[in-house]
């Protein structure tokens, strides 16, 4: 589960491009993950350690090891340390894999729109689908220029091996200019039936999501992963305010790991804190509303969230909420982690 703290040994560092490095970790037995999920790394910094999420570019179906791929951010505290300092043999503290940017089935057709380092979770999904699924995939991959294309060779080899299942279209700013909505729509139009996954810089994701929505692809088939930096440190014990004795409680029904739990939920306590206090193995990573690892679907009632840096208006309309930030505002609340 995502709460587990691990110390991983670095087996290899691979320079993928001028400003992107992959870190290959030894995979401890018992650690499992889904294609598209991420690790949270604890990285040293002069002002104190920073926690940074990095998507796994390895596939649970084809790779023995865990691999993350990190692209430098100008003046970034974590990414530059990873690219400059990490060597084989080092050990790094991480939180076990988590995240919801993962296909429900590898047998469905997938429309994959990636920009820059946004290829990382997409790579895991492609490798997994080719190895274990039957779906066809179109990848549109946007980069500044040819030299900045991460996994160029690997992608070419996969297309050569699976020409009927994988199509890769490169969009280079130096050749085609910045990605824009109309040309993107022309490219993806035949893929309107597919499940869409979008990851990359914010302007690219906004453009891609708009393009798909305008084509009539419903929001519940568009999955978006936003690459933000965490502000807090998930390794320090989180101070969870104890509920006020004798305070108001509401009726909570939670579906988790195939089981239903009926509980009295103190109205002043956040949902995740409450479930963990009750000994339930609810998923989480950042606990600050920035990663969506704790996402739940609201089936009945309503909650209010202290902070939300990841869910979009459409996600909220579909009922998604962040358990780490949610307090009840109705007398009955029903949520599902399924
Ligand atoms: C689910 C998820 C998956 C991700 N997967 C990947 C991935 O696969 N690959 C990848 O490369 N990235 C990924 N990211 C992004 C990654 O976690 C970091 O956000 C990214 O590497 C930048 O971190 P940084 O520490 O280098 O930059 P930061 O230090 O966070 O800096 C970001 C920006 O803020 C400025 N800044 C510098 N110092 C400060 C300061 N003291 N206060 C405020 N701002 C400052 C910097 O100039 C920079 O422009 C992912 C993020 C998430 C949430
Ligand atoms: S645990 Fe990251 S948003 Fe809730």
């Amino acid at each position: 589960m995502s709460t587990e703290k691990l110390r991983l040994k670095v087996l290899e560092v691979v320079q993928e491009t001028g400003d992107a490095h992959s870190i290959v970790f030894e995979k401890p037995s018992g650690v499992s993950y889904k294609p598209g999920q991420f690790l949270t790394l604890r990285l040293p910094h002069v002002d104190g350690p920073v926690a940074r999420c990095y998507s796994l570019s390895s596939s649970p179906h084809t790779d023995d090891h865990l691999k993350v791929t990190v692209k430098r951010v100008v003046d970034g505290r974590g990414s530059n340390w990873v690219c400059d300092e990490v060597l084989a043999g080092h050990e790094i503290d991480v939180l076990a894999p988590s995240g919801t940017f993962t296909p429900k089935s590898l047998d469905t057709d997938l429309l994959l729109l990636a920009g820059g380092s946004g290829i990382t979770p997409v790579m895991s999904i492609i490798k997994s689908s080719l190895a274990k699924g039957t779906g066809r995939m179109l990848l549109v991959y946007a980069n500044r220029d040819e030299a900045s294309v991460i996994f160029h060779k690997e992608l070419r080899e996969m297309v050569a091996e699976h020409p009927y299942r994988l199509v890769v279209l490169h969009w280079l700013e130096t050749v085609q200019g910045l990605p824009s909505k109309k040309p993107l729509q022309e490219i993806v139009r035949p893929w309107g039936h597919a499940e869409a996954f979008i990851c990359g810089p914010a302007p690219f994701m906004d453009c891609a999501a708009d393009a798909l929505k305008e084509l009539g692809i419903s929001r519940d088939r568009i999955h978006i992963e936003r690459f933000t930096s965490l502000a807090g440190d998930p390794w320090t014990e989180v101070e969870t305010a104890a509920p006020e004795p004798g305070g108001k409680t509401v009726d909570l029904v939670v579906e988790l790991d195939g089981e239903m739990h009926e509980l009295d939920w103190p109205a002043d306590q956040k949902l995740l804190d409450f479930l963990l206090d009750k000994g339930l193995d609810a998923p989480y990573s950042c606990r600050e509303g920035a990663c969506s690892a704790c996402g739940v679907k609201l089936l009945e009632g309503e909650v209010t969230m202290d902070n939300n840096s990841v869910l979009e208006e459409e996600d909220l309309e579909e009922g998604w909420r962040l358990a780490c930030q949610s307090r009840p505002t109705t007398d009955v609340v029903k949520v599902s982690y399924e």
Side-chain angles (χ1 to χ4, degrees):
M1 191 53 79
S2 56
T3 52
E4 201 184 344
K5 296 176 174 75
L6 307 165
R7 174 159 291 181
L8 298 186
K9 185 171 172 199
V10 176
L11 295 177
E12 194 188 354
V13 177
V14 182
Q15 173 139 20
E16 303 284 0
T17 65
D19 57 6
H21 288 63
S22 288
I23 311 297
V24 182
F25 292 108
E26 190 170 51
K27 180 163 161 288
S29 61
V31 169
S32 63
Y33 64 104
K34 294 180 190 156
Q37 289 195 310
F38 62 88
L39 296 175
T40 305
L41 278 62
R42 191 168 204 241
L43 307 171
H45 185 262
V46 282
D47 299 331
V50 294
R52 294 289 180 262
C53 306
Y54 290 108
S55 305
L56 287 151
S57 51
S58 51
S59 159
H61 302 292
T62 60
D63 296 302
D64 293 336
H65 308 305
L66 300 169
K67 183 164 82 172
V68 295
T69 305
V70 180
K71 187 169 176 175
R72 286 181 196 275
V73 168
V74 178
D75 295 333
R77 289 157 286 175
S79 58
N80 289 291
W81 186 85
V82 172
C83 292
D84 291 334
E85 304 293 339
V86 177
L87 295 172
H90 284 175
E91 293 191 335
I92 297 183
D93 288 332
V94 311
L95 296 182
S98 78
T100 52
F101 189 70
T102 176
K104 282 189 205 77
S105 160
L106 297 174
D107 296 325
T108 46
D109 288 355
L110 302 175
L111 171 56
L112 308 163
L113 304 172
S117 58
I119 190 65
T120 312
V122 168
M123 195 65 182
S124 179
I125 293 171
I126 294 175
K127 288 197 277 190
S128 302
S129 173
L130 291 177
K132 285 286 165 196
T134 54
R136 296 180 63 241
M137 290 169 281
L138 169 65
L139 166 66
V140 182
Y141 185 18
N143 278 286
R144 194 175 52 244
D145 52 29
E146 206 176 331
S148 49
V149 178
I150 306 173
F151 305 131
H152 199 289
K153 183 165 168 275
E154 231 173 318
L155 286 168
R156 210 176 39 220
E157 287 168 359
M158 288 192 295
V159 171
E161 208 177 318
H162 303 275
Y164 300 109
R165 292 200 49 209
L166 176 63
V167 177
V168 177
L169 293 179
H170 288 283
W171 185 302
L172 300 180
E173 268 174 59
T174 45
V175 180
Q176 289 134 295
L178 282 171
S180 56
K181 204 162 60 179
K182 292 289 170 212
L184 255 187
Q185 282 177 332
E186 292 317 310
I187 293 170
V188 305
R189 198 179 291 279
W191 289 77
H193 63 286
E195 197 83 5
F197 288 82
I198 305 176
C199 188
F204 170 79
M205 292 202 293
D206 293 343
C207 167
D210 276 0
L212 301 195
K213 280 186 255 172
E214 267 187 31
L215 284 180
I217 300 182
S218 64
R219 186 58 183 79
D220 61 347
R221 283 194 290 119
I222 304 176
H223 309 272
I224 296 174
E225 185 81 307
R226 292 200 179 272
F227 280 5
T228 52
S229 290
L230 304 189
D233 180 358
W235 275 265
T236 54
E237 278 310 310
V238 177
E239 292 269 322
T240 62
E244 204 182 300
K248 179 180 162 62
T249 62
V250 308
D251 295 339
L252 173 68
V253 181
V254 183
E255 192 181 355
L256 174 64
D257 296 332
E259 283 181 33
M260 302 297 275
H261 305 269
E262 293 188 25
L263 303 159
D264 289 333
W265 178 14
D268 57 351
Q269 207 177 11
K270 290 181 190 165
L271 178 56
L272 176 68
D273 296 346
F274 174 61
L275 296 178
L276 296 178
D277 278 358
K278 287 282 166 199
L280 297 182
D281 202 8
Y284 69 84
S285 180
C286 71
R287 295 181 93 152
E288 60 184 62
C291 76
S292 81
C294 64
V296 288
K297 200 84 176 265
L298 191 65
L299 304 177
E300 193 180 330
E302 191 47 279
V303 297
T304 176
M305 289 189 285
D306 290 6
N307 179 42
N308 166 30
S309 312
V310 277
L311 298 181
E312 319 245 327
E313 205 45 54
E314 291 94 335
D315 299 319
L316 299 173
E317 279 165 21
E318 276 172 27
W320 288 105
R321 300 291 183 272
L322 302 173
C324 73
Q325 299 297 312
S326 293
R327 295 175 216 272
T329 55
T330 52
D331 290 339
V332 178
V333 174
K334 193 171 174 186
V335 295
S336 172
Y337 279 93
E338 303 313 312

